[in-house]
Amino acid sequence: MVKDFTEEFNRILNLLKTDESFSFVRFSDGEVTILKNQPVVLANNYFIQGDLHGDTKNHVPEGTYNKEEQKEFLPEKHSFFHKKLKDSFLHRQNNYIKGIPAQNCLDRGLSWRFCLDLHSSDDVSDLSFANVMITNNYKRFISEMIPVFMSKKIILVANENSNFENIPFKIEKFFPVGSNCMVNNYYLVDEINEWIQDQSISNHLFLFCAASLSNLLGHKLYENNPNNQYLDIGSSLGPLLGLTGWMTTRTYLNAYWNNPQNPPNQEIDLWN
């Protein structure tokens, strides 16, 4: 059950270079906490992550999480979204690829093992790394993947404060989201699905920069409209979209954009 970080990036890149349909969704630590039905809160000056710290408020400097980053999942309040996220993880379909935390992540692989157990199959061909386009692969995302975007018809779902002046590819249509978008912008799952069908959209690339809503979009849109490509790219375009939330929360982005001509090596994920 070996997964190679470089080869998994190549798998996504090679799919992008074709017209073959696929969907890639990322289950990072926050999504895993929700899958465990534990609370997740990112507020202005504190965070809660139930599977690691219980209900404790962990205080951080004021403004660490601005509105672009803020979210709230409370099990007693948001059971509907827990079910939808779990459905997206358990979904099986050709070229439906689910990125999960690394075996060598900070919780000593507990999230990785949880995902494998929930997946409940010896066939892990539909699993990959949640971080496959970031950490040490981020420089390849910039130099190799973004140029492929330039040849695609792009639909973007991203924060409402996004600015497109520095984006090096054309965006055909933009669907904005705000804070806590899995909850507050869930209506986009139906809205975009209807738009795809009404406009007979096919052979487009959908880029999702919408926290856990990306998982729900990548699942339902691919299930209902399998003639497109769907890619959950997390915060990777944040600097190019003129967003600022990444500056206090995304180590990999700070490491790269502080010296993009000669970026330092970063973490390499692994399974063995």
Side-chain angles (χ1 to χ4, degrees):
M1 195 174 60
V2 174
K3 291 278 184 177
D4 182 273
F5 199 48
T6 298
E7 288 306 312
E8 286 300 300
F9 181 91
N10 292 340
R11 172 158 69 138
I12 305 297
L13 181 63
N14 290 335
L15 282 169
L16 276 170
K17 288 179 176 179
T18 71
D19 292 327
E20 188 172 358
S21 299
F22 75 94
S23 182
F24 173 74
V25 289
R26 303 172 60 251
F27 291 85
S28 298
D29 60 337
E31 284 74 39
V32 172
T33 302
I34 296 172
L35 286 174
K36 294 177 179 178
N37 210 27
Q38 295 292 315
V40 178
V41 178
L42 300 184
N44 182 50
N45 63 345
Y46 71 88
F47 71 90
I48 298 171
Q49 190 167 3
D51 57 334
L52 298 182
H53 309 289
D55 295 333
T56 302
K57 287 185 178 181
N58 298 273
H59 291 277
V60 293
E62 190 83 14
T64 295
Y65 299 108
N66 70 8
K67 288 186 177 182
E68 297 167 12
E69 298 289 323
Q70 289 172 14
K71 66 181 69 175
E72 178 186 82
F73 170 80
L74 301 175
E76 65 277 10
K77 183 178 179 181
H78 298 124
S79 59
F80 173 85
F81 299 101
H82 170 254
K83 180 182 184 304
K84 292 299 180 182
L85 191 66
K86 188 173 181 180
D87 288 346
S88 75
F89 184 81
L90 296 178
H91 182 67
R92 305 285 174 85
Q93 187 176 345
N94 184 48
N95 282 346
Y96 182 71
I97 304 168
K98 296 163 283 192
I100 67 174
Q103 187 177 3
N104 62 336
C105 59
L106 294 177
D107 67 356
R108 303 180 305 281
L110 295 178
S111 293
W112 174 78
R113 174 49 61 186
F114 170 84
C115 288
L116 288 181
D117 291 343
L118 185 61
H119 184 258
S120 69
S121 172
D122 292 334
D123 179 7
V124 296
S125 59
D126 59 345
L127 297 182
S128 185
F129 300 99
N131 288 347
V132 70
M133 287 174 285
I134 62 175
T135 61
N136 207 54
N137 280 342
Y138 184 66
K139 51 193 170 187
R140 293 191 64 197
F141 172 83
I142 294 294
S143 64
E144 299 179 47
M145 198 166 281
I146 285 184
V148 178
F149 295 170
M150 296 177 189
S151 65
K152 300 284 185 177
K153 296 177 181 178
I154 301 287
I155 311 300
L156 178 67
V157 182
N159 188 269
E160 59 195 357
N161 295 320
S162 297
N163 182 306
F164 305 138
E165 290 182 4
N166 295 317
I167 290 291
F169 50 84
K170 182 180 179 182
I171 296 169
E172 300 280 338
K173 189 169 180 62
F174 173 54
F175 291 93
V177 300
S179 298
N180 202 29
C181 58
M182 181 178 74
V183 174
N184 295 334
N185 298 110
Y186 178 75
Y187 63 86
L188 284 177
V189 175
D190 289 332
E191 182 177 308
I192 298 175
N193 182 64
E194 291 174 7
W195 176 76
I196 292 171
Q197 296 178 0
D198 289 346
Q199 300 298 318
S200 300
I201 300 297
S202 64
N203 297 318
H204 282 59
L205 171 61
F206 289 71
L207 298 179
F208 302 131
C209 313
S212 303
L213 179 63
S214 299
N215 304 68
L216 310 187
L217 290 167
H219 166 211
K220 296 307 293 185
L221 296 184
Y222 187 52
E223 181 179 39
N224 294 331
N225 309 281
N227 296 320
N228 295 293
Q229 297 180 329
Y230 304 92
L231 190 62
D232 176 358
I233 57 173
S235 301
S236 56
L237 287 181
L240 294 175
L241 289 171
L243 301 173
T244 59
W246 61 273
M247 293 180 179
T248 54
T249 60
R250 301 288 186 260
T251 302
Y252 80 95
L253 288 175
N254 282 284
Y256 178 88
W257 289 104
N258 283 335
N259 188 9
Q261 301 304 316
N262 187 27
N265 287 327
Q266 299 185 60
E267 179 185 6
I268 296 175
D269 284 351
L270 58 88
W271 293 12
N272 57 33

Short mmCIF file of all heavy atoms in Angstrom, two decimals, residues 5-29:
data_model
loop_
_atom_site.label_atom_id
_atom_site.label_comp_id
_atom_site.label_asym_id
_atom_site.label_seq_id
_atom_site.Cartn_x
_atom_site.Cartn_y
_atom_site.Cartn_z
N PHE A 5 4.54 10.51 -3.21
CA PHE A 5 4.08 11.89 -3.27
C PHE A 5 4.25 12.49 -4.67
O PHE A 5 3.36 13.17 -5.20
CB PHE A 5 4.85 12.72 -2.24
CG PHE A 5 4.21 14.03 -1.87
CD1 PHE A 5 2.87 14.11 -1.54
CD2 PHE A 5 4.97 15.19 -1.80
CE1 PHE A 5 2.28 15.32 -1.17
CE2 PHE A 5 4.41 16.40 -1.43
CZ PHE A 5 3.06 16.46 -1.12
N THR A 6 5.39 12.21 -5.29
CA THR A 6 5.64 12.72 -6.63
C THR A 6 4.74 12.05 -7.66
O THR A 6 4.16 12.72 -8.53
CB THR A 6 7.12 12.49 -7.02
OG1 THR A 6 7.95 13.21 -6.11
CG2 THR A 6 7.39 12.96 -8.44
N GLU A 7 4.58 10.75 -7.57
CA GLU A 7 3.76 10.03 -8.54
C GLU A 7 2.29 10.39 -8.42
O GLU A 7 1.56 10.41 -9.43
CB GLU A 7 3.96 8.52 -8.38
CG GLU A 7 5.32 8.03 -8.86
CD GLU A 7 5.61 8.46 -10.29
OE1 GLU A 7 4.73 8.27 -11.16
OE2 GLU A 7 6.71 9.02 -10.54
N GLU A 8 1.83 10.69 -7.21
CA GLU A 8 0.43 11.09 -7.06
C GLU A 8 0.19 12.47 -7.69
O GLU A 8 -0.87 12.71 -8.28
CB GLU A 8 0.03 11.10 -5.58
CG GLU A 8 -0.15 9.71 -5.01
CD GLU A 8 -1.24 8.92 -5.72
OE1 GLU A 8 -2.40 9.37 -5.71
OE2 GLU A 8 -0.93 7.86 -6.29
N PHE A 9 1.16 13.36 -7.59
CA PHE A 9 1.05 14.64 -8.30
C PHE A 9 0.99 14.39 -9.80
O PHE A 9 0.18 14.99 -10.51
CB PHE A 9 2.23 15.55 -7.96
CG PHE A 9 2.17 16.90 -8.62
CD1 PHE A 9 1.56 17.97 -7.98
CD2 PHE A 9 2.70 17.10 -9.89
CE1 PHE A 9 1.49 19.21 -8.59
CE2 PHE A 9 2.64 18.34 -10.51
CZ PHE A 9 2.03 19.41 -9.86
N ASN A 10 1.84 13.49 -10.27
CA ASN A 10 1.86 13.19 -11.71
C ASN A 10 0.52 12.62 -12.16
O ASN A 10 0.07 12.88 -13.28
CB ASN A 10 2.98 12.20 -12.03
CG ASN A 10 4.36 12.79 -11.85
OD1 ASN A 10 4.53 14.01 -11.85
ND2 ASN A 10 5.36 11.93 -11.69
N ARG A 11 -0.11 11.83 -11.30
CA ARG A 11 -1.41 11.25 -11.67
C ARG A 11 -2.43 12.35 -11.93
O ARG A 11 -3.14 12.31 -12.95
CB ARG A 11 -1.90 10.32 -10.56
CG ARG A 11 -3.35 9.85 -10.79
CD ARG A 11 -3.71 8.58 -10.07
NE ARG A 11 -3.80 8.67 -8.64
CZ ARG A 11 -4.77 8.09 -7.90
NH1 ARG A 11 -5.72 7.40 -8.50
NH2 ARG A 11 -4.77 8.18 -6.60
N ILE A 12 -2.52 13.32 -11.03
CA ILE A 12 -3.47 14.42 -11.21
C ILE A 12 -3.08 15.26 -12.43
O ILE A 12 -3.93 15.62 -13.25
CB ILE A 12 -3.53 15.31 -9.96
CG1 ILE A 12 -3.86 14.50 -8.71
CG2 ILE A 12 -4.53 16.44 -10.15
CD1 ILE A 12 -5.19 13.83 -8.72
N LEU A 13 -1.80 15.56 -12.55
CA LEU A 13 -1.33 16.38 -13.68
C LEU A 13 -1.63 15.71 -15.01
O LEU A 13 -2.09 16.36 -15.96
CB LEU A 13 0.17 16.63 -13.53
CG LEU A 13 0.83 17.49 -14.62
CD1 LEU A 13 0.25 18.89 -14.63
CD2 LEU A 13 2.35 17.53 -14.41
N ASN A 14 -1.39 14.41 -15.11
CA ASN A 14 -1.63 13.70 -16.37
C ASN A 14 -3.11 13.65 -16.72
O ASN A 14 -3.48 13.73 -17.90
CB ASN A 14 -1.03 12.30 -16.30
CG ASN A 14 0.49 12.30 -16.29
OD1 ASN A 14 1.11 13.25 -16.78
ND2 ASN A 14 1.09 11.28 -15.72
N LEU A 15 -3.98 13.53 -15.71
CA LEU A 15 -5.41 13.59 -15.98
C LEU A 15 -5.79 14.97 -16.51
O LEU A 15 -6.59 15.10 -17.45
CB LEU A 15 -6.20 13.28 -14.71
CG LEU A 15 -6.32 11.81 -14.32
CD1 LEU A 15 -6.88 11.68 -12.90
CD2 LEU A 15 -7.20 11.05 -15.30
N LEU A 16 -5.24 16.01 -15.91
CA LEU A 16 -5.53 17.37 -16.35
C LEU A 16 -5.13 17.60 -17.80
O LEU A 16 -5.80 18.35 -18.53
CB LEU A 16 -4.80 18.38 -15.46
CG LEU A 16 -5.46 18.79 -14.16
CD1 LEU A 16 -4.49 19.60 -13.32
CD2 LEU A 16 -6.72 19.60 -14.43
N LYS A 17 -4.05 17.00 -18.21
CA LYS A 17 -3.53 17.22 -19.57
C LYS A 17 -4.40 16.56 -20.64
O LYS A 17 -4.22 16.82 -21.82
CB LYS A 17 -2.10 16.71 -19.67
CG LYS A 17 -1.09 17.58 -18.92
CD LYS A 17 0.32 17.01 -19.04
CE LYS A 17 1.34 17.91 -18.38
NZ LYS A 17 2.72 17.35 -18.47
N THR A 18 -5.33 15.73 -20.22
CA THR A 18 -6.23 15.07 -21.14
C THR A 18 -7.62 15.69 -21.01
O THR A 18 -7.84 16.60 -20.22
CB THR A 18 -6.33 13.57 -20.85
OG1 THR A 18 -7.06 13.38 -19.62
CG2 THR A 18 -4.94 12.95 -20.70
N ASP A 19 -8.56 15.17 -21.76
CA ASP A 19 -9.96 15.55 -21.59
C ASP A 19 -10.71 14.53 -20.75
O ASP A 19 -11.94 14.57 -20.67
CB ASP A 19 -10.64 15.68 -22.97
CG ASP A 19 -10.11 16.85 -23.76
OD1 ASP A 19 -9.75 17.88 -23.14
OD2 ASP A 19 -10.03 16.75 -25.00
N GLU A 20 -9.96 13.62 -20.12
CA GLU A 20 -10.61 12.58 -19.32
C GLU A 20 -11.24 13.19 -18.08
O GLU A 20 -10.64 14.01 -17.39
CB GLU A 20 -9.57 11.53 -18.92
CG GLU A 20 -10.17 10.31 -18.25
CD GLU A 20 -9.15 9.19 -18.04
OE1 GLU A 20 -7.98 9.35 -18.45
OE2 GLU A 20 -9.54 8.17 -17.45
N SER A 21 -12.45 12.78 -17.79
CA SER A 21 -13.17 13.32 -16.64
C SER A 21 -12.62 12.75 -15.33
O SER A 21 -12.24 11.58 -15.27
CB SER A 21 -14.66 12.99 -16.75
OG SER A 21 -15.20 13.57 -17.92
N PHE A 22 -12.60 13.58 -14.30
CA PHE A 22 -12.19 13.12 -12.97
C PHE A 22 -12.65 14.15 -11.95
O PHE A 22 -13.04 15.28 -12.29
CB PHE A 22 -10.67 12.92 -12.89
CG PHE A 22 -9.88 14.19 -12.80
CD1 PHE A 22 -9.49 14.72 -11.56
CD2 PHE A 22 -9.50 14.88 -13.95
CE1 PHE A 22 -8.76 15.89 -11.48
CE2 PHE A 22 -8.78 16.05 -13.88
CZ PHE A 22 -8.39 16.56 -12.64
N SER A 23 -12.58 13.76 -10.69
CA SER A 23 -12.79 14.69 -9.59
C SER A 23 -11.79 14.37 -8.49
O SER A 23 -11.63 13.20 -8.12
CB SER A 23 -14.22 14.59 -9.05
OG SER A 23 -14.43 15.53 -8.01
N PHE A 24 -11.12 15.40 -7.99
CA PHE A 24 -10.20 15.24 -6.87
C PHE A 24 -10.68 16.13 -5.73
O PHE A 24 -10.85 17.34 -5.91
CB PHE A 24 -8.78 15.64 -7.26
CG PHE A 24 -7.82 15.66 -6.09
CD1 PHE A 24 -7.36 14.47 -5.55
CD2 PHE A 24 -7.41 16.86 -5.53
CE1 PHE A 24 -6.49 14.48 -4.45
CE2 PHE A 24 -6.53 16.88 -4.45
CZ PHE A 24 -6.09 15.68 -3.91
N VAL A 25 -10.93 15.53 -4.56
CA VAL A 25 -11.38 16.28 -3.38
C VAL A 25 -10.43 16.00 -2.22
O VAL A 25 -9.90 14.90 -2.08
CB VAL A 25 -12.82 15.91 -3.00
CG1 VAL A 25 -13.80 16.46 -4.02
CG2 VAL A 25 -13.02 14.42 -2.86
N ARG A 26 -10.23 17.02 -1.38
CA ARG A 26 -9.22 16.96 -0.33
C ARG A 26 -9.87 16.85 1.05
O ARG A 26 -10.65 17.73 1.44
CB ARG A 26 -8.34 18.21 -0.37
CG ARG A 26 -7.65 18.45 -1.69
CD ARG A 26 -6.95 19.81 -1.73
NE ARG A 26 -5.94 19.94 -0.69
CZ ARG A 26 -6.06 20.71 0.37
NH1 ARG A 26 -7.15 21.43 0.59
NH2 ARG A 26 -5.09 20.77 1.26
N PHE A 27 -9.50 15.81 1.78
CA PHE A 27 -9.94 15.66 3.16
C PHE A 27 -8.73 15.92 4.06
O PHE A 27 -8.00 15.01 4.43
CB PHE A 27 -10.53 14.27 3.38
CG PHE A 27 -11.85 14.06 2.68
CD1 PHE A 27 -11.88 13.67 1.35
CD2 PHE A 27 -13.04 14.29 3.34
CE1 PHE A 27 -13.08 13.50 0.68
CE2 PHE A 27 -14.25 14.12 2.68
CZ PHE A 27 -14.27 13.72 1.35
N SER A 28 -8.54 17.19 4.39
CA SER A 28 -7.44 17.58 5.27
C SER A 28 -7.88 17.45 6.73
O SER A 28 -8.94 16.88 7.02
CB SER A 28 -6.99 19.00 4.95
OG SER A 28 -6.51 19.08 3.62
N ASP A 29 -7.09 17.99 7.65
CA ASP A 29 -7.38 17.76 9.06
C ASP A 29 -8.75 18.29 9.47
O ASP A 29 -9.47 17.65 10.25
CB ASP A 29 -6.28 18.34 9.95
CG ASP A 29 -6.10 19.85 9.77
OD1 ASP A 29 -6.47 20.37 8.70
OD2 ASP A 29 -5.57 20.49 10.69
#
